Amino acid sequence: GAVVSQHPSWVICKSGTSVKIECRSLDFQATTMFWYRQFPKQSLMLMATSNEGSKATYEQGVEKDKFLINHASLTLSTLTVTSAHPEDSSFYICTGGGAGGETQYFGPGTRLLVL
Amino acid sequence: GENVEQHPSTLSVQEGDSAVIKCTYSDSASNYFPWYKQELGKRPQLIIDIRSNVGEKKDQRIAVTLNKTAKHFSLHITETQPEDSAVYFCAASINSGYALNFGKGTSLLVTP
């Protein structure tokens, strides 16, 4: 099946710094990837839809200036959490694939802890 | 937008018993309904999915049923084992290539 990787798998940063998370499709081309956020003991919430070569589409309540998404190629989408604060601490997961009726695949996730 | 409700939030069964988790959805345009199992600290893993043109699908001990008229779908796990203990999420989407709307999850505990 299709493989999605994420990097880093976990990151600890100080409040006010920016963190970049990479999501790569390793064996397929992804014109669309999705970014989800999962707080402890909660469900996965869609943050944004990342579109290759165009602007991302953000869900209501997600600040586009804080969560910058770039999808410059068919195999890489990045999420940058700018000026991170402790409330941004969460598990960030990307997904890709699913086109043509195939299964959508989750990346392994990135655990972010902002001190 | 789509709203997916999932019940129960916690479920405890004895090993060998069956477990049933139910979900309802609101958007009649949804046609794809996957179920995920998430173990602590790991990514969700797809365990089974069903599309709107099918009423039931089975894979060994796991089955999913879909009632499009009533807008609900259910996960059935038979002969549960301790390794089935995890959080299970249902989701709904227009199709498998679209964003997923998740239920709040069910924490399943299978006791020996």
Side-chain angles (χ1 to χ4, degrees):
Chain A
V3 179
V4 176
S5 71
Q6 264 183 260
H7 178 80
S9 56
W10 60 270
V11 58
I12 301 173
C13 69
K14 292 183 179 180
S15 185
T17 60
S18 294
V19 175
K20 179 186 281 188
I21 303 170
E22 293 186 348
C23 177
R24 292 183 185 274
S25 56
L26 298 184
D27 54 0
F28 66 98
Q29 294 184 329
T31 55
T32 301
M33 301 186 91
F34 302 100
W35 286 95
Y36 295 84
R37 179 168 55 181
Q38 186 179 33
F39 292 110
K41 298 189 177 182
Q42 293 190 24
S43 186
L44 292 92
M45 297 297 294
L46 179 68
M47 296 178 66
T49 300
S50 174
N51 304 299
E52 187 267 333
S54 65
K55 292 183 179 180
T57 305
Y58 291 84
E59 294 301 297
Q60 192 173 10
V62 177
E63 301 174 57
K64 62 180 181 180
D65 294 330
K66 180 172 182 61
F67 299 98
L68 302 178
I69 291 174
N70 185 282
H71 195 152
S73 78
L74 288 171
T75 59
L76 175 64
S77 174
T78 61
L79 169 67
T80 301
V81 184
T82 63
S83 187
H85 291 284
E87 57 265 31
D88 298 322
S89 299
S90 187
F91 191 44
Y92 293 85
I93 312 176
C94 67
T95 71
E102 298 183 354
T103 302
Q104 199 174 124
Y105 292 93
F106 279 80
T110 297
R111 200 163 298 279
L112 171 64
L113 176 61
V114 185
L115 302 177
Chain B
E2 176 65 276
N3 181 42
V4 179
E5 303 260 350
Q6 183 172 346
H7 298 281
S9 56
T10 61
L11 180 59
S12 183
V13 300
Q14 284 200 314
E15 183 177 1
D17 288 349
S18 295
V20 180
I21 303 171
K22 298 182 179 183
C23 288
T24 61
Y25 63 98
S26 60
D27 191 348
S28 57
S30 291
N31 288 302
Y32 177 65
F33 308 93
W35 285 88
Y36 292 88
K37 175 183 180 182
Q38 187 178 31
E39 296 176 334
L40 192 63
K42 296 186 177 180
R43 79 183 94 182
Q45 296 277 4
L46 178 71
I47 55 172
I48 196 166
D49 58 10
I50 192 167
R51 299 177 191 271
S52 61
N53 58 345
V54 176
E56 184 173 355
K57 185 177 179 180
K58 188 173 182 180
D59 183 5
Q60 299 184 337
R61 297 186 296 110
I62 295 173
V64 57
T65 58
L66 170 66
N67 184 327
K68 269 213 82 137
T69 303
K71 296 196 186 72
H72 66 70
F73 56 112
S74 301
L75 177 71
H76 305 253
I77 306 174
T78 58
E79 301 172 30
T80 54
Q81 302 166 2
E83 49 266 38
D84 294 329
S85 298
V87 179
Y88 291 80
F89 292 98
C90 64
S93 179
I94 296 173
N95 205 335
S96 55
Y98 289 78
L100 297 166
N101 296 282
F102 286 88
K104 291 191 182 301
T106 296
S107 180
L108 173 65
L109 177 63
V110 181
T111 54

